[in-house]
Amino acid sequence: MRPLWQYLQNYLQPNHSLTQQVGLYPAQASVMVLFTDAENPEMIFTLRAQHLTNHPGEVAFPGGMWETGDNTLLDTALRESHEEIGLSPAAVKLLGACKPRATRAGVRVTPFVGVIDPAIELVPCPDELDAVFRVPLSAFRAGIQTRTDIFSHAGKSWRVPAYQHEGYEIWGFTAALTQEIITAVFNATDEVLPIE
């Protein structure tokens, strides 16, 4: 395993089990944050279809709501990734998970992080997506943040960056999760992440 992925694996949570919490977060979901195992790794994002009822036209990670047929939230993330972008679960090298977090709609989301071969063709399902695209880590390092949004909920406020890349805008929940992982990556030494 290359040093960058070992570094991320050490940063992430190792527990992939489903913890169905009733009450505060009766709804559970998971997403798959994917990197390509390239010399200049890329993050994989999707553009939700304009015809969808929820979050149409927004950039997201592959993922969705837990279903009763899913044994774990990891199963959910892998199933949704297969349905949305045609990615075989066997093609994902899992590194771990980020801490679960709640959306403003009250959904508890567990983000998983994995690595795939950069040569794998990813095809967006037209029922759910308008596009699937990649953003090199070098682009984030070069600076593609365009603004900082302030979100408030239940008496708390927090600042979240917004990014622009080749016409795509990454903001909100997806941008907050991106920032967390990118910050962890960029805390690595140059020997781990030799990107100009």
Side-chain angles (χ1 to χ4, degrees), residues 68-172:
T68 54
D70 299 330
N71 291 324
T72 66
L73 282 167
L74 175 58
D75 289 339
T76 302
L78 292 171
R79 173 183 55 77
E80 289 282 352
S81 296
H82 184 255
E83 292 174 1
E84 292 183 2
I85 60 177
L87 180 63
S88 168
V92 179
K93 178 174 181 50
L94 185 70
L95 298 180
C98 297
K99 291 180 180 178
R101 68 274 327 266
T103 67
R104 289 181 294 167
V107 178
R108 184 175 183 266
V109 180
T110 300
F112 294 91
V113 180
V115 179
I116 63 171
D117 189 308
I120 292 177
E121 183 181 5
L122 303 175
V123 181
C125 171
D127 291 340
E128 300 187 53
L129 304 176
D130 283 343
V132 56
F133 64 98
R134 305 174 184 207
V135 181
L137 291 183
S138 58
F140 288 103
R141 176 166 276 183
I144 58 172
Q145 181 177 339
T146 56
R147 68 175 189 273
T148 299
D149 295 327
I150 300 176
F151 293 94
S152 299
H153 181 68
K156 296 181 180 179
S157 296
W158 58 98
R159 300 166 68 85
V160 177
Y163 305 101
Q164 287 271 359
H165 182 72
E166 296 183 351
Y168 296 105
E169 183 178 61
I170 304 167
W171 67 283

Side-chain angles (χ1 to χ4, degrees), residues 7-8 11-12 33-35 43 61 98 111-113 137 175-187:
Y7 181 90
L8 262 183
Y11 167 80
L12 296 165
V33 180
L34 294 166
F35 289 93
M43 293 184 79
F61 292 111
C98 297
F112 294 91
V113 180
L137 291 183
L177 180 53
T178 298
Q179 180 190 38
E180 176 186 338
I181 296 173
I182 289 296
T183 299
V185 167
F186 290 164
N187 282 338

Side-chain angles (χ1 to χ4, degrees), residues 13-33:
Q13 307 292 311
N15 186 4
H16 310 136
S17 63
L18 169 66
T19 53
Q20 186 75 5
Q21 294 188 2
V22 295
L24 185 58
Y25 302 117
Q28 299 235 19
S30 61
V31 297
M32 183 62 73
V33 180

